[in-house]
């Protein structure tokens, strides 16, 4: 009598025999609506500016940003996360370009909203690092340290000008204590209760942010170890998660994605709100560079990396391949 609970009766390979069979039994499926496109817009740019560390990604002009938004909608992408790149001369210690209603990010929000309306969820990076002459995510005190509470005041202002510009979702990304609650209160105070908050709940101090520095023209010297999370820690993320939820986060995020799939899985298992993960610049650039060398199959590596992020529990994935991948799904 054959025993089917073990070999030779049990043969899992039966369910891998053809592409159709593998599709039928797949446990994890990517969908265009899972994807969010991060996009950079450069003040004063007449045409897109290539980012050397991120082949295929550019700093958009307002016109090409509009086009990218339309293409994302056409491909079925659900959202776009906007990052402003101001003129160098407009950077200062307080990052005032970030709260100027005519600042590049606010102008970009209005342009995209005008182009696609509600067909794309328009998200904005809520952080000072692109706009400060020192490159940190907050206001510095007299000793050169990031002043948490003074920074929160600036974040409140940023939230309000971004909401006034028409953003659907703000993403406070500076990892300041109390940022979600302050942003939520600031939005509610001006009657923007419908603007959602995507909390950067677990944002790690990662070497993989390197290419992003070029993408936003960062002025940073030093590091962000005193406010971004230590890569050695996991339980700390759960504490951050509890605080963000208590402060009113509508969605939560883990960033980077690939090296922190364990954290992503823990967060996804814990919450009832949507969970996002950001496949950051270094993750993108490593795959592109290895593929350019012929060391890996580019398309398979992209899909494998995104499937792994989805399998770990992300409902939404921010990826620079969003539109390309969505077209192929």
């Amino acid at each position: 009598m054959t025993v089917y609970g073990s070999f030779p009766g049990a043969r899992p390979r039966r369910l891998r025999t053809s592409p159709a069979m593998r599709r039928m039994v797949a446990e994890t499926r990517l969908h265009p609506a899972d994807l969010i496109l991060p996009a950079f817009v450069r003040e004063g740019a007449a045409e897109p500016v290539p980012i050397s560390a991120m082949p295929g990604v550019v700093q958009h002009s307002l016109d090409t940003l509009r086009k990218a938004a339309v293409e994302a909608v056409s491909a079925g992408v659900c959202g776009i996360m906007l990052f402003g790149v101001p003129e160098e001369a407009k950077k200062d210690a307080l990052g005032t370009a970030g709260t100027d209603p005519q600042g590049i990010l606010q102008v970009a929000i209005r342009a995209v909203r005008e182009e696609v309306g509600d067909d794309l969820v328009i998200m904005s990076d809520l952080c000072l690092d692109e706009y400060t002459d020192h490159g940190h995510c907050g206001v510095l005190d007299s000793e050169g340290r990031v002043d948490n509470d003074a920074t929160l005041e600036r974040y409140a202002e940023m939230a309000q000008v971004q909401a006034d510009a028409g953003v659907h979702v703000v993403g406070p990304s500076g990892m300041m204590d109390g940022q979600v609650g302050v942003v939520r209160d600031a939005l509610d105070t001006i009657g923007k209760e419908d603007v959602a908050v995507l909390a950067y709940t677990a944002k790690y101090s990662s070497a993989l942010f390197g290419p992003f520095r070029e993408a936003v023209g960062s002025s940073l010297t030093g590091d962000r170890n005193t406010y971004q999370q230590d890569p050695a820690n996991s339980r700390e993320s759960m504490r951050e998660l509890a605080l963000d939820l208590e402060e009113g986060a509508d969605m939560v995020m883990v960033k980077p994605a690939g090296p922190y799939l364990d954290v992503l899985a823990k967060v996804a298992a814990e919450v009832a709100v949507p969970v996002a993960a950001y496949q950051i610049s270094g993750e993108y650039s490593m795959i592109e560079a290895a593929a350019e060398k012929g060391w890996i199959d580019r398309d398979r590596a992209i899909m494998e990396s995104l499937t792994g992020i989805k399998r770990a529990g992300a409902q939404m994935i921010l990826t620079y391949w969003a539109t390309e991948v969505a077209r192929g799904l």
Side-chain angles (χ1 to χ4, degrees):
M1 179 179 176
T2 302
V3 178
Y4 287 101
S6 60
F7 180 83
R11 293 180 181 268
R13 285 183 57 189
R14 293 186 186 115
L15 302 183
R16 306 171 194 155
T17 52
S18 70
M21 178 68 79
R22 293 191 293 274
R23 286 197 303 272
M24 184 177 73
V25 302
E27 300 172 25
T28 304
R29 301 180 193 275
L30 282 171
H31 188 277
D34 299 331
L35 305 176
I36 298 167
L37 176 67
F40 307 100
V41 57
R42 179 169 178 167
E43 188 169 18
E47 57 186 24
V49 179
I51 300 167
S52 63
M54 300 178 69
V57 180
V58 300
Q59 295 172 330
H60 284 286
S61 68
L62 285 170
D63 286 342
T64 63
L65 179 66
R66 287 173 178 267
K67 181 180 178 181
V70 170
E71 290 174 348
V73 171
S74 177
V77 170
C78 71
I80 187 168
M81 174 65 80
L82 301 177
F83 296 86
V85 184
E87 294 174 355
E88 195 68 27
K90 293 185 178 179
K91 295 182 180 182
D92 60 25
L94 298 178
T96 53
T99 51
D100 180 352
Q102 299 307 315
I104 183 57
L105 183 53
Q106 286 67 254
V107 171
I109 292 168
R110 288 194 291 271
V112 174
R113 188 68 186 266
E114 179 181 290
E115 192 70 34
V116 299
D118 294 331
D119 291 341
L120 194 64
V121 178
I122 302 168
M123 305 178 170
S124 55
D125 179 55
L126 200 164
C127 196
L128 289 172
D129 59 321
E130 296 100 320
Y131 310 101
T132 55
D133 54 13
H134 47 73
H136 278 286
C137 297
V139 178
L140 304 185
D141 64 18
S142 60
E143 297 183 19
R145 301 170 301 189
V146 175
D147 185 325
N148 191 94
D149 295 5
T151 298
L152 294 181
E153 295 179 18
R154 300 287 295 125
Y155 285 3
E157 295 177 52
M158 291 189 80
Q160 291 176 341
V161 296
Q162 290 175 5
D164 284 339
V167 79
H168 296 107
V169 179
V170 294
S173 62
M175 291 300 289
M176 296 296 120
D177 295 337
Q179 63 184 14
V180 171
V182 165
V183 166
R184 181 72 270 157
D185 287 347
L187 293 169
D188 293 349
T189 295
I190 62 168
K192 298 293 184 179
E193 295 90 351
D194 288 344
V195 175
V197 177
L198 169 60
Y200 281 58
T201 291
K203 183 178 180 181
Y204 283 87
S205 184
S206 172
L208 298 178
F209 286 124
F212 181 88
R213 305 280 190 261
E214 178 190 346
V216 297
S218 175
S219 301
L220 180 68
T221 57
D223 57 52
R224 295 176 174 144
N225 292 340
T226 62
Y227 45 103
Q228 293 179 353
Q229 282 187 237
D230 186 339
N233 294 346
S234 173
R235 288 194 302 271
E236 182 180 27
S237 295
M238 306 312 290
R239 184 183 185 195
E240 293 278 7
L241 175 63
L243 291 168
D244 283 352
L245 293 174
E246 184 178 350
E247 291 172 26
D250 298 290
M251 299 171 278
V252 297
M253 183 158 67
V254 175
K255 181 180 181 181
Y260 299 93
L261 294 181
D262 60 324
V263 175
L264 174 59
K266 287 174 66 175
V267 169
E270 186 73 18
V271 302
V273 301
V275 176
Y278 197 146
Q279 186 181 53
I280 68 169
S281 60
E283 297 175 75
Y284 172 93
S285 296
M286 287 193 297
I287 289 177
E288 290 287 353
E292 191 276 330
K293 290 286 188 181
W295 294 338
I296 60 173
D297 181 315
R298 176 183 180 274
D299 293 348
R300 286 186 62 192
I302 291 170
M303 292 304 296
E304 185 176 344
S305 67
L306 292 172
T307 300
I309 296 167
K310 180 77 181 290
R311 190 183 63 244
Q315 293 166 259
M316 303 168 291
I317 304 173
L318 287 82
T319 176
Y320 299 98
W321 291 301
T323 301
E324 176 187 344
V325 168
R327 285 172 175 158
L329 290 174

